[in-house]
Amino acid sequence: MTVGQRPLGVAVLGLGNVGTEVVRILHESADDLAARIGAPLELRGIGVRRVAPDRGVPVDLLTEDIEGLSARDDVDIVVELMGPVEPARRAILTALRHGKSVVTANKALLAQSTGELSDAAESAHVDLYFEAAVAGAIPVIRPLTQSLAGDRVLRVAGIVNGTTNYILSAMAETGASYTDALADASALGYAEADPTADVEGYDAAAKAAILASIAFHTPVRADDVYREGITKVSADDVKSAHALGCAIKLLSICERITDADGSERVSARVHPALVPLTHPLASVNGAFNAVVVEAAAAGRLMFYGQGAGGAPTASAVMGDVVMAARNRVQGGRAPRESKYAQLPIAPIGVVPTRYYVSLHVSDRPGVLSTVAAEFARHEVSIAEVRQEGMVDEDGQRIGARIAVLTHRATDAALSETVAALKDLDVVSTVASVLRMEGTEE
Amino acid sequence: MTVGQRPLGVAVLGLGNVGTEVVRILHESADDLAARIGAPLELRGIGVRRVAPDRGVPVDLLTEDIEGLSARDDVDIVVELMGPVEPARRAILTALRHGKSVVTANKALLAQSTGELSDAAESAHVDLYFEAAVAGAIPVIRPLTQSLAGDRVLRVAGIVNGTTNYILSAMAETGASYTDALADASALGYAEADPTADVEGYDAAAKAAILASIAFHTPVRADDVYREGITKVSADDVKSAHALGCAIKLLSICERITDADGSERVSARVHPALVPLTHPLASVNGAFNAVVVEAAAAGRLMFYGQGAGGAPTASAVMGDVVMAARNRVQGGRAPRESKYAQLPIAPIGVVPTRYYVSLHVSDRPGVLSTVAAEFARHEVSIAEVRQEGMVDEDGQRIGARIAVLTHRATDAALSETVAALKDLDVVSTVASVLRMEGTEE
């Protein structure tokens, strides 16, 4: 192992929670890492926005010259943990063009990529790894690109955003409103000061794009992903879901849609959904993540663990660093990005799912039949319906609530049904429309 | 991709459930596989014990000359699915020495290996993959060797034998005895005619050895694994477990044991254990498998799916075939076996776990205190104790049952306690001794 004797230089870009843990592991596990790789790793520098003496690392390792560090001759592997898109993109391209292998956890960048990064890695014959970009410590990228490389993935459905899962879990546990649960999550550090990226589903959509791309060998960008956040999920919705034996979860779903002529399209979407309590995703609570993969031969697989946080994310990053380092010592490459299938993206309108629709209606005979007729007219088949009286604070009857659970229908058919329901005299409000996942019908 | 134009030759050894599925996937998914690899795969031959025209494949693909097929010039990848140890070992060595990459699902062979196979792969600079050897379709080997390569694995605990899990699940559901549940499992094809390898824990022990080896970078063989099967688990045990809020599962457990002086050993063991119903492994039922990995940075990860069966196992095999093929097209190698840590194996006597001990005792005052004193004398701390009267068929009081749940104690201390309890006049029988896993205390 003559080649192995030469130390490999590592540059870390970004010193937040994850970067700090990566630097700690590089230091504390140096001997183990060297034994596993066949060469020692040496930390050459840490790129930061502002060099300061109180960062908990030797100050002479810090530099504000991100580009310079990424191109340094004695650096073999660049670990990008800065987020968001720029200056990360520029730094990664610089590193790749200078022949460095790159490990990144930057889901926003990867999900808007048009293949620029993978092309640059391919041209330079170096590795681009990104296991930490989806679901933190949970191995998801590697199982999809390697373990299932000989199978046919049909569907990937996951809870991949810890903040929203924490909020929805809290709503289910305490009966709190969305606003109160969000406030608690912020106070406890589970939600950021500006929670938009999480609660509006942007983060989950970026991850869905990455998952769909690798699962279906097709370029899918964040913009291709249909996206609904959790801001409209009410305490009533959570209660109704529970009455139906379901939890409400924000799911990232990627699936193959087979059209009538046998041709295939890819659907990628993020939205809250009712999930039966018996489904493995229903019991994934708090800040945990889980991803369920369905493949033709493997059947249903589930991966579960901590989807965020400094140490868990650093675990995924370090796995990639060791693999990139081994490849440099022993020769070899990560599987390159595979986009051969080039399947078209299916618009949300054609994607069939089950729906839960809750209506406030007049409390008089014949209403249920009128409502049911409207579903039938749009060819949306009803699986289950439930009607109950609504009373005001004084116990006076003020109308009724009708909850409908449909069989599978397209988004387009359901939207037309809902629009028509709103026009009915007997319907005062369409209180909520939620998809249901994880059942066969 | 000039190199990629040349087709890669595949030889499949064995045409049972898994082999048949592998041949099917090679045929039906040929285009997808070629696109993912960068070269087409061509099936050169199938090694079988007896060539016959009714095997569902073109008869001219079949050969009884396993060695010849493994060494053929136009074969690049040999897929060994014959089991058990011989003639598989010889065929794999022949293949490796002739420069073929090898994919195998042969856990028995791998778990008795002294490094012979990995050394042969290393010398020939070819790949030896074995994802399918543990937990069927569930990616476990790759996450441990790659995703967690930069982390420090503390513990791997899994349900990795479907037959015993099916039997234990049935006992819990129906209250059946072990014998009846086994008979049902055999009738339904979940247990083999001779179920010894499953019910006595040999299969789970082979898998524990493989998991321990890769998790702790230390050679562990099946013989190093402490092993107890499920044949002594009674319907009463299952009932008592349920009363304690637990399920009984056959677990394969590998963990680091840190001694008082800070030195480390590896413990690998297979035994039935009480698992709290709130633990993720408790709800893994029927023929499903699950593996929980605990690592220093990643925290707790769980992998769940189908652990056996032709198609699920073929999925794992084909993932390895694609990776081995990609490496031949693009250059590169699988991570080689890493045994640098060379930790000693801890004997079961020093391994601390919690215990559940059930005793039949005389029904008179002072018995509980006598029993408790015996635990104390051996420094086994009691966490919970429960006493109830036992009656015969006529409702006559015939003694009492005492169930004790201990805090963590070593196997040695517990064995001494049990021996001493048996000598007590007031104890008529030690009805069962079961370990408890999945709790902190």
Side-chain angles (χ1 to χ4, degrees):
Chain A
M1 202 186 296
T2 337
V3 191
Q5 306 303 339
R6 184 178 76 80
L8 294 172
V10 177
V12 175
L13 312 182
L15 193 59
N17 286 342
V18 183
T20 303
E21 285 294 323
V22 165
V23 169
R24 192 186 57 74
I25 293 173
L26 282 171
H27 180 67
E28 290 181 5
S29 301
D31 292 347
D32 276 319
L33 296 170
R36 293 175 197 173
I37 293 163
L41 294 178
E42 284 181 7
L43 180 59
R44 304 291 188 211
I46 304 170
V48 290
R49 211 171 308 160
R50 239 185 357 267
V51 171
D54 56 351
R55 303 295 297 267
V57 292
V59 72
D60 57 340
L61 279 175
L62 300 177
T63 173
E64 290 167 19
D65 179 13
I66 306 278
E67 292 288 303
L69 177 59
S70 305
R72 254 173 73 165
D73 282 344
D74 60 352
V75 165
D76 297 279
I77 299 167
V78 171
V79 181
E80 187 279 305
L81 303 167
M82 296 184 289
V85 172
E86 294 289 3
R89 178 182 150 277
R90 217 166 42 241
I92 291 177
L93 287 172
T94 299
L96 293 171
R97 286 173 189 150
H98 283 81
K100 321 303 185 195
S101 297
V102 170
V103 174
T104 175
N106 197 325
K107 61 218 160 229
L109 172 58
L110 291 163
Q112 75 158 48
S113 166
T114 51
E116 186 184 31
L117 301 185
S118 58
D119 289 350
E122 195 57 29
S123 305
H125 293 279
V126 293
D127 288 338
L128 173 66
Y129 280 111
F130 51 90
E131 180 66 71
V134 181
I138 311 171
V140 176
I141 305 297
R142 201 164 264 115
L144 282 170
T145 51
Q146 300 191 29
S147 308
L148 291 163
D151 204 337
R152 181 178 158 75
V153 177
L154 305 173
R155 193 164 196 271
V156 182
I159 295 170
V160 294
N161 180 272
T163 302
T164 51
N165 201 49
Y166 182 88
I167 292 171
L168 291 171
S169 300
M171 288 174 72
E173 257 173 54
T174 65
S177 71
Y178 164 73
T179 315
D180 290 347
L182 170 61
D184 282 354
S186 303
L188 292 167
Y190 286 111
E192 301 197 34
D194 176 0
T196 310
D198 293 317
V199 300
E200 296 291 1
Y202 289 100
D203 174 80
K207 291 165 179 170
I210 296 171
L211 291 173
S213 297
I214 59 175
F216 303 122
H217 304 273
T218 283
V220 180
R221 303 176 59 192
D223 291 347
D224 298 322
V225 180
Y226 173 80
R227 181 186 50 74
E228 272 176 43
I230 64 162
T231 57
K232 286 176 197 149
V233 176
S234 69
D236 270 352
D237 289 337
V238 174
K239 217 172 113 189
S240 305
H242 197 78
L244 287 162
C246 292
I248 297 184
K249 295 293 182 188
L250 183 71
L251 299 185
S252 295
I253 300 173
C254 319
E255 57 188 350
R256 281 182 202 270
I257 305 283
T258 307
D259 294 325
D261 64 357
S263 66
E264 292 189 325
R265 289 189 282 184
V266 167
S267 157
R269 51 204 167 90
V270 170
H271 54 69
L274 274 65
V275 179
L277 293 174
T278 51
H279 191 282
L281 287 177
S283 51
V284 176
N285 285 317
F288 279 82
N289 279 196
V291 177
V292 172
V293 179
E294 288 171 37
R300 188 196 272 177
L301 301 170
M302 180 161 111
F303 306 87
Y304 171 90
Q306 294 186 64
T313 309
S315 171
V317 168
M318 287 306 303
D320 283 352
V321 168
V322 169
M323 293 311 298
R326 273 184 183 160
N327 286 344
R328 291 184 90 95
V329 170
Q330 299 181 28
R333 296 272 305 284
R336 61 189 174 168
E337 197 172 50
S338 157
K339 299 286 180 248
Y340 73 89
Q342 297 278 347
L343 298 175
I345 309 293
I348 189 72
V350 307
V351 177
T353 54
R354 300 185 72 184
Y355 288 87
Y356 165 79
V357 180
S358 163
L359 309 165
H360 294 178
V361 298
S362 316
D363 193 9
R364 53 182 150 99
V367 172
L368 185 55
S369 128
T370 310
V371 165
E374 209 56 58
F375 279 89
R377 205 162 66 81
H378 292 91
E379 300 192 345
V380 177
S381 169
I382 292 178
E384 209 178 309
V385 64
R386 180 185 303 222
Q387 178 166 9
E388 56 178 20
M390 291 167 65
V391 292
D392 67 9
E393 286 162 6
D394 304 323
Q396 290 294 315
R397 191 82 177 220
I398 53 164
R401 179 186 289 120
I402 292 180
V404 174
L405 191 61
T406 76
H407 288 297
R408 279 158 77 89
T410 62
D411 187 274
L414 200 280
S415 298
E416 285 166 24
T417 310
V418 168
L421 288 169
K422 282 180 177 163
D423 284 346
L424 290 179
D425 284 348
V426 296
V427 172
S428 50
T429 325
V430 177
S432 57
V433 178
L434 284 167
R435 290 176 181 78
M436 185 174 189
E437 296 286 341
T439 63
E440 294 302 314
E441 277 310 280
Chain B
M1 203 186 295
T2 337
V3 190
Q5 305 304 338
R6 185 178 76 81
L8 294 172
V10 177
V12 174
L13 312 183
L15 194 60
N17 286 342
V18 183
T20 304
E21 285 295 322
V22 165
V23 169
R24 193 186 57 74
I25 294 173
L26 281 171
H27 179 68
E28 291 182 4
S29 301
D31 291 347
D32 275 319
L33 295 172
R36 293 174 196 172
I37 292 163
L41 293 179
E42 284 180 6
L43 180 58
R44 303 292 188 209
I46 304 171
V48 290
R49 211 171 309 160
R50 239 185 358 268
V51 170
D54 57 350
R55 303 294 299 265
V57 293
V59 71
D60 58 340
L61 279 175
L62 300 177
T63 175
E64 291 168 18
D65 180 13
I66 306 278
E67 292 287 303
L69 177 58
S70 305
R72 253 173 74 164
D73 282 345
D74 61 351
V75 165
D76 298 278
I77 299 168
V78 172
V79 181
E80 187 279 304
L81 302 167
M82 297 184 289
V85 172
E86 292 292 2
R89 178 181 151 277
R90 216 167 41 240
I92 292 177
L93 286 173
T94 298
L96 293 171
R97 287 173 188 150
H98 284 81
K100 321 304 184 194
S101 297
V102 170
V103 174
T104 176
N106 197 324
K107 60 219 161 229
L109 172 57
L110 292 163
Q112 75 159 47
S113 166
T114 50
E116 186 185 32
L117 301 184
S118 57
D119 288 350
E122 195 57 30
S123 304
H125 291 279
V126 293
D127 287 339
L128 172 67
Y129 280 109
F130 51 89
E131 180 65 70
V134 181
I138 312 171
V140 177
I141 305 297
R142 203 163 263 115
L144 282 171
T145 51
Q146 300 190 29
S147 308
L148 290 163
D151 204 337
R152 181 178 159 77
V153 177
L154 305 173
R155 195 165 196 270
V156 182
I159 295 170
V160 294
N161 180 273
T163 302
T164 49
N165 202 48
Y166 182 88
I167 293 171
L168 291 172
S169 300
M171 289 174 71
E173 257 173 53
T174 65
S177 71
Y178 164 73
T179 315
D180 290 348
L182 171 61
D184 282 355
S186 302
L188 292 167
Y190 286 112
E192 301 197 35
D194 176 359
T196 311
D198 292 317
V199 301
E200 295 291 0
Y202 289 100
D203 175 80
K207 292 165 179 170
I210 296 171
L211 291 173
S213 296
I214 60 176
F216 303 123
H217 305 273
T218 284
V220 180
R221 303 176 60 192
D223 291 345
D224 298 323
V225 179
Y226 173 81
R227 181 186 49 73
E228 273 176 43
I230 65 163
T231 57
K232 285 176 197 149
V233 176
S234 69
D236 269 352
D237 289 338
V238 173
K239 218 173 113 191
S240 304
H242 197 79
L244 286 163
C246 292
I248 297 185
K249 296 292 182 188
L250 183 71
L251 300 185
S252 294
I253 300 173
C254 320
E255 57 188 349
R256 281 182 202 268
I257 305 282
T258 307
D259 295 324
D261 64 357
S263 66
E264 292 189 325
R265 289 190 279 184
V266 167
S267 157
R269 51 205 166 91
V270 170
H271 55 68
L274 275 65
V275 179
L277 293 173
T278 51
H279 191 280
L281 288 177
S283 51
V284 176
N285 285 318
F288 279 82
N289 279 195
V291 176
V292 172
V293 179
E294 288 171 37
R300 187 197 274 177
L301 301 169
M302 181 160 110
F303 306 87
Y304 171 90
Q306 295 186 62
T313 308
S315 171
V317 167
M318 287 305 304
D320 282 353
V321 168
V322 169
M323 292 313 298
R326 273 184 184 161
N327 286 344
R328 290 184 91 95
V329 171
Q330 298 181 29
R333 297 271 306 285
R336 61 187 175 168
E337 199 172 48
S338 158
K339 300 286 179 246
Y340 73 89
Q342 298 279 346
L343 298 176
I345 309 293
I348 189 70
V350 308
V351 177
T353 54
R354 298 186 72 184
Y355 288 87
Y356 165 79
V357 180
S358 163
L359 308 167
H360 295 177
V361 298
S362 317
D363 194 8
R364 53 181 149 100
V367 172
L368 185 55
S369 128
T370 308
V371 165
E374 209 54 60
F375 279 88
R377 205 162 65 82
H378 294 91
E379 298 193 346
V380 176
S381 170
I382 292 177
E384 211 178 307
V385 65
R386 181 185 302 223
Q387 178 165 9
E388 56 180 19
M390 290 166 66
V391 291
D392 66 12
E393 285 162 6
D394 303 324
Q396 290 295 315
R397 191 83 177 222
I398 53 162
R401 178 186 291 120
I402 293 180
V404 175
L405 190 62
T406 76
H407 287 297
R408 278 159 76 88
T410 62
D411 186 275
L414 201 280
S415 298
E416 284 167 25
T417 309
V418 169
L421 288 169
K422 282 180 177 164
D423 284 345
L424 288 180
D425 284 348
V426 296
V427 172
S428 51
T429 326
V430 176
S432 58
V433 178
L434 283 167
R435 289 176 181 79
M436 184 173 190
E437 297 287 338
T439 62
E440 295 302 314
E441 275 314 279

